[in-house]
Amino acid sequence: MNSTRRSKMTVFSDPICPFSHQVRIILQEKDIDANIETLIDGAWPEEVAIANPYGIGPTLFDRDLVLFNASVIAEYLDERFPHPPLMPVDPVAKAKTRLMLYRIDRDWYSHWNVISGREKGNVSKARKTIQEDLTVLAPLFEDSAFFMSDEFSVLDCTLAPLLWRLPALKIRLPASASAVEKYAQKIFRRDSFQQSLTAAEKAMR
């Protein structure tokens, strides 16, 4: 069957990739009926390798549409399946959310390849950057019911995989960042998060 003519939405997802995890949380949160196909790093099916030229993160096939990049997929899913909404409707709040998503990707997830060993780099420095940034921003994690919002949002879906992986990445937060840990445990108890976990992710803690 032609990959772009699938009868059902299919998401190719790496079982330990945090970007794939972000999308799996959204699928669970919105109760989207989609096939989740496991990707093995270094052994991608040809159709996925052709569709996703960057070789990392999830790839979504939905009829004629093919998407890669977790942020792009997240926004598509939120617009196609609007309930429950994960992005604010208000333009100002939406812009602030997009800006924070950009910061999360640039300031924290940009270190993923180095810490996980996909790229060479200063692993200690990368770990320290994430640790210090989360500590400095700890007050933000207790200002609202969720991260920067009173409603569960795409920000929580994006942050949760990183926070879940902190022990596996050997990043230990100080006592002054206890608000981050309290927030994380709240998200980890959520049904959509629990259902999103692969066996490999469960083994990280």
Side-chain angles (χ1 to χ4, degrees):
M1 182 184 292
N2 187 305
S3 63
T4 59
R5 291 287 184 181
R6 294 172 182 275
S7 60
K8 185 176 181 180
M9 179 186 292
T10 300
V11 176
F12 286 87
S13 166
D14 186 303
I16 62 171
C17 166
F19 309 107
S20 294
H21 194 183
Q22 292 171 17
V23 172
R24 279 186 266 114
I25 296 172
I26 293 172
L27 293 174
Q28 293 295 333
E29 188 69 27
K30 289 178 171 288
D31 195 22
I32 297 171
D33 184 20
N35 287 327
I36 299 179
E37 298 284 346
T38 299
L39 282 177
I40 303 302
D41 196 22
W44 282 21
E46 183 179 0
E47 61 179 340
V48 181
I50 291 172
N52 183 342
Y54 297 102
I56 188 171
T59 305
L60 178 147
F61 290 83
D62 189 15
R63 298 181 183 177
D64 292 333
L65 180 67
V66 181
L67 297 175
F68 54 88
N69 182 282
S71 296
V72 173
I73 294 173
E75 190 153 347
Y76 170 70
L77 292 176
D78 196 47
E79 291 182 353
R80 182 168 175 201
F81 303 92
H83 302 290
L86 295 177
M87 283 287 283
V89 175
D90 174 67
V92 173
K94 184 177 288 188
K96 288 180 178 179
T97 296
R98 284 181 172 144
L99 188 62
M100 181 53 72
L101 288 171
Y102 175 79
R103 290 188 62 187
I104 292 170
D105 279 339
R106 186 176 178 86
D107 295 348
W108 300 337
Y109 279 114
S110 62
H111 299 292
W112 170 254
N113 283 349
V114 170
I115 296 178
S116 63
R118 290 175 62 94
E119 294 178 2
K120 291 183 179 180
N122 190 327
V123 177
S124 295
K125 182 179 180 181
R127 289 186 180 126
K128 186 177 181 181
T129 297
I130 294 174
Q131 178 198 54
E132 291 180 346
D133 283 0
L134 285 172
T135 302
V136 169
L137 292 179
L140 275 180
F141 287 85
E142 54 187 353
D143 283 349
S144 308
F146 296 97
F147 188 66
M148 294 180 60
S149 174
D150 287 328
E151 302 292 337
F152 185 83
S153 79
V154 68
L155 287 172
D156 304 297
C157 298
T158 303
L159 273 173
L162 174 65
L163 298 179
W164 180 260
R165 286 161 173 75
L166 291 184
L169 297 176
K170 299 179 181 178
I171 297 174
R172 187 180 182 90
L173 298 181
S176 57
S178 60
V180 179
E181 182 62 26
K182 183 178 180 180
Y183 159 85
Q185 292 303 321
K186 177 180 179 178
I187 300 300
F188 298 161
R189 289 192 296 268
R190 198 172 179 89
D191 286 345
S192 60
F193 183 85
Q194 287 295 317
Q195 294 299 318
S196 74
L197 291 168
T198 63
E201 287 164 342
K202 290 178 181 177
M204 291 178 181
R205 284 180 170 250

